[in-house]
Amino acid sequence: MEHSYIEDHHIADRYLSGKLSIEERLRFEEHFVDCQECLDRLQTIDDFRAGLRTVAAEEATQLRTYLSVGQAGMLARIALLARRRQAPLLAATILLIALPMALLIPEWMSARRELAQAMQESSEWRRKYEESERAARDLVKEMQTRERESSLQLERLAAQFGPMRNSPDPAPRQSHKAAERQSETPVFALSVVRGSGPDPSQPVNRITLPPQSKSIILWLELEPDPNFHSYRVAISTTDSRSIWTKDGLKPNSKNALALSFNSSLFKPGDYLLTLEGISAQEGRTPVATYTFRALTR
Amino acid sequence: METIAISETCSPVDLVSRIRAGDRQAEAELVERYSRGVMIIIRREVHDAAVAEDIYQETFRIGLGKIRQGDVREPGRLSGFICGVARNLVIDYFRRAARQESMTEIEEAAHLPHPASDQLQELLRKEKASLVRQVLKEMPNERDIHVLYRFYIADDEKEQICADLGLTSLDFNRVLHRARERFRELYKRAMRDK
């Protein structure tokens, strides 16, 4: 590092006020650590800065004292100076007093404001933390109480119903099985009719209507076709009597249509199911035809 | 502002080789040569005098140990090596301090001043302030005083001060240079008179 560069760019001043970049700082430190001239320069600047700061601080204190003693005293001094026709001295004094004050007081005020705000925020956080902690403690207590109550209740129930467990009652089991059966809904996957056309007299699929079930499901697997936004299904008897029609059917996640029917809809006989795809451009397009025979057990 | 005489003939490379050869005089020369600079580097970061003194001692203990063992790869860059040791110790000090659970306790303990040293510092502070007053009194105009206040107290940038006060870069440099030189002169005289 050249001395002319150090002088021109106030490197030593900026080093002491912490304004150098890290790179500049490291370079300057490597230089001055073995340079008497720069060490002297740093020492002078540091002392001068310290002295100047002391002067500024003392003047600020003096001003504060003047203010606390009262404006009258200050005015008297000013008047005295003015009477003595020492206007330049008066101006210099005012400048020397006012300038550091102007520089230091706003900084001090801002620091005080920030401190007050930080303290307020801190106490708010502390309050919130204490509240949360209290709530957590209450919750733990409540949980413990409930656990105790539950275990007591369990013990009481065990004592009360313990003998009954050893003498099973077959009746409820049977009714339970019946309910299970009742809840089972048969699903019939229909196979599509291939070839020139469907022959309702020779149905491909057979569905056996269970007497104990109120509903059945017909399962139609589809070929994915992005043109169709929905499907239409029509079911008719072999003598072309329509028994069920529905539009706007959407395939499920397995790309199939699951159609739920009340089993009473179907009497023993042969049926024809027609599936059509519905697209915005072409309207209804035949997709597949299924024939099935409904039987009873 | 004492200036320690340094043997200008001894290059860093010579100094390193002499220390490696076990020359005790060379070790004393190294400490003398880098003493002030190392202390400035440390004191810039560490404000507590006792801690700074410990780091300073440690810098030379570690530095000399490494030189003796031949761990200085580039003896020509001895200054960089010494600075590096000092900086690392400063960083290490702050790292350890940060690990402490209560920084407040450390700070409080660290700032307990020694009464005698405090009195001396106070005396020096007053002396410097008095010299600065003298410099300010001798300044030719208020604008120059304003320059000093803004640069050294308010930490304003040079460009901003120049723009605000209608100064060229040269004018600005001149104001600073004159004030500093005058201060140095007065300081030297004051030291001589004592």
Side-chain angles (χ1 to χ4, degrees):
Chain A
M1 223 178 220
E2 296 290 323
H3 284 142
S4 56
Y5 176 84
I6 292 167
E7 182 68 35
D8 291 347
H9 292 85
H10 307 284
I11 298 294
D13 302 276
R14 286 166 57 213
Y15 175 77
L16 290 170
S17 54
K19 285 183 179 173
L20 290 183
S21 65
I22 293 172
E23 195 190 328
E24 265 184 322
R25 180 166 71 87
L26 299 185
R27 274 178 59 209
F28 183 54
E29 282 179 348
E30 277 192 35
H31 169 83
F32 79 67
V33 80
D34 196 19
C35 172
Q36 285 305 311
E37 193 182 327
C38 284
L39 286 171
D40 286 347
R41 192 199 311 265
L42 278 166
Q43 192 73 61
T44 304
I45 294 167
D46 200 31
D47 287 341
F48 184 70
R49 263 164 51 108
L52 200 60
R53 278 168 195 256
T54 307
V55 169
E58 280 174 4
E59 279 163 3
T61 314
Q62 270 178 3
L63 182 67
R64 224 173 289 149
T65 312
Y66 283 139
L67 292 172
S68 67
V69 165
Q71 282 181 333
M74 186 73 174
L75 287 170
R77 281 164 206 264
I78 292 168
L80 187 68
L81 285 171
R83 264 205 306 279
R84 287 178 185 169
R85 293 183 184 177
Q86 288 174 326
L89 180 64
L90 179 66
T93 311
I94 290 170
L95 185 77
L96 277 172
I97 292 165
L99 193 62
M101 284 296 287
L103 294 168
L104 292 173
I105 286 177
E107 229 172 279
W108 178 69
M109 300 267 282
S110 151
R112 275 193 62 162
R113 267 198 305 275
E114 281 173 18
L115 179 68
Q117 198 179 342
M119 281 174 73
Q120 196 181 346
E121 280 173 13
S122 153
S123 75
E124 180 66 17
W125 278 109
R126 197 180 302 129
R127 192 184 58 75
K128 281 183 184 169
Y129 170 75
E130 281 167 1
E131 270 177 18
S132 309
E133 207 181 29
R134 206 168 31 246
R137 272 202 304 271
D138 292 348
L139 213 61
V140 168
K141 271 186 196 165
E142 197 183 324
M143 269 174 64
Q144 285 169 345
T145 313
R146 284 193 181 179
E147 268 176 19
R148 265 198 306 276
E149 283 173 3
S150 304
S151 60
L152 281 172
Q153 208 167 0
L154 270 172
E155 279 170 21
R156 273 201 302 273
L157 284 168
Q160 198 177 342
F161 295 105
M164 288 171 78
R165 260 193 228 144
N166 299 326
S167 57
D169 182 9
R173 283 192 189 175
Q174 279 173 359
S175 66
H176 182 66
K177 269 191 173 177
E180 269 181 5
R181 275 200 299 274
Q182 190 69 30
S183 65
E184 282 170 10
T185 302
V187 179
F188 300 102
L190 300 185
S191 301
V192 72
V193 177
R194 311 249 176 227
S196 55
D199 181 4
S201 63
Q202 293 298 318
V204 178
N205 306 283
R206 281 173 162 60
I207 61 169
T208 307
L209 302 168
Q212 70 275 23
S213 180
K214 282 188 178 173
S215 57
I216 60 162
I217 290 172
L218 297 183
W219 183 272
L220 313 177
E221 285 203 2
L222 303 171
E223 300 270 333
D225 192 333
N227 291 327
F228 300 140
H229 57 76
S230 63
Y231 291 88
R232 179 178 189 270
V233 171
I235 300 174
S236 58
T237 55
T238 44
D239 55 356
S240 303
R241 189 168 50 85
S242 173
I243 63 160
W244 189 86
T245 307
K246 186 145 187 175
D247 290 292
L249 296 166
K250 304 269 184 190
N252 61 19
S253 60
K254 291 179 176 140
N255 207 38
L257 288 178
L259 308 169
S260 176
F261 299 98
N262 191 324
S263 56
S264 62
L265 181 71
F266 301 102
K267 306 283 179 242
D270 295 339
Y271 294 89
L272 181 71
L273 186 151
T274 312
L275 174 69
E276 292 170 309
I278 301 167
S279 64
Q281 293 86 15
E282 296 171 29
R284 284 169 17 190
T285 308
V287 174
T289 310
Y290 303 82
T291 54
F292 62 92
R293 177 165 295 167
L295 305 163
T296 48
R297 239 176 228 171
Chain B
M1 278 197 305
E2 291 170 37
T3 311
I4 300 155
I6 289 172
S7 162
E8 286 177 16
T9 51
C10 189
S11 75
V13 180
D14 289 340
L15 205 54
V16 169
S17 61
R18 281 170 57 205
I19 292 168
R20 285 203 66 190
D23 184 343
R24 292 279 171 188
Q25 179 59 34
E27 291 186 1
E29 274 179 41
L30 179 131
V31 174
E32 207 173 75
R33 182 170 183 156
Y34 292 108
S35 175
R36 281 177 77 197
V38 165
M39 194 45 114
I40 289 176
I41 292 170
I42 297 167
R43 285 307 296 267
R44 189 179 164 276
E45 307 289 343
V46 180
H47 301 296
D48 180 76
V51 176
E53 182 63 32
D54 287 349
I55 294 174
Y56 166 84
Q57 299 285 348
E58 195 64 2
T59 300
F60 286 107
R61 191 188 66 76
I62 292 173
L64 283 169
K66 290 201 172 203
I67 297 169
R68 284 187 210 117
Q69 288 166 16
D71 287 348
V72 180
R73 286 179 200 153
E74 293 177 76
R77 292 195 59 219
L78 182 61
S79 305
F81 167 74
I82 296 288
C83 288
V85 174
R87 277 186 219 118
N88 287 341
L89 286 169
V90 168
I91 291 167
D92 190 49
Y93 162 72
F94 282 111
R95 205 175 278 154
R96 273 187 290 115
R99 271 203 296 266
Q100 299 286 330
E101 203 170 328
S102 169
M103 276 293 290
T104 332
E105 284 171 20
I106 292 170
E107 287 294 310
E108 278 170 2
H111 283 102
L112 287 174
H114 187 279
S117 111
D118 203 35
Q119 281 172 10
L120 178 67
Q121 290 302 316
E122 183 59 21
L123 211 66
L124 284 170
R125 195 181 64 80
K126 280 186 179 164
E127 179 85 52
K128 285 173 198 167
S130 153
L131 296 177
V132 166
R133 274 202 193 89
Q134 176 73 23
V135 172
L136 295 177
K137 207 165 112 182
E138 290 173 11
M139 293 202 86
N141 57 54
E142 281 157 25
R143 187 202 61 185
D144 291 358
I145 296 171
H146 203 162
V147 169
L148 295 176
Y149 270 110
R150 286 193 58 178
F151 191 65
Y152 287 119
I153 307 282
D155 279 341
D156 283 348
E157 294 294 340
K158 174 184 174 179
E159 292 72 22
Q160 188 59 49
I161 300 168
C162 287
D164 291 349
L165 301 177
L167 290 169
T168 64
S169 173
L170 201 66
D171 292 336
F172 181 90
N173 291 355
R174 204 175 289 141
V175 171
L176 253 61
H177 181 77
R178 275 186 194 153
R180 280 201 316 246
E181 285 307 304
R182 182 64 184 137
F183 176 78
R184 191 148 72 134
E185 207 177 294
L186 291 170
Y187 196 97
K188 268 187 184 170
R189 194 187 298 166
M191 292 296 123
R192 209 171 40 233
D193 293 347
K194 280 186 177 169

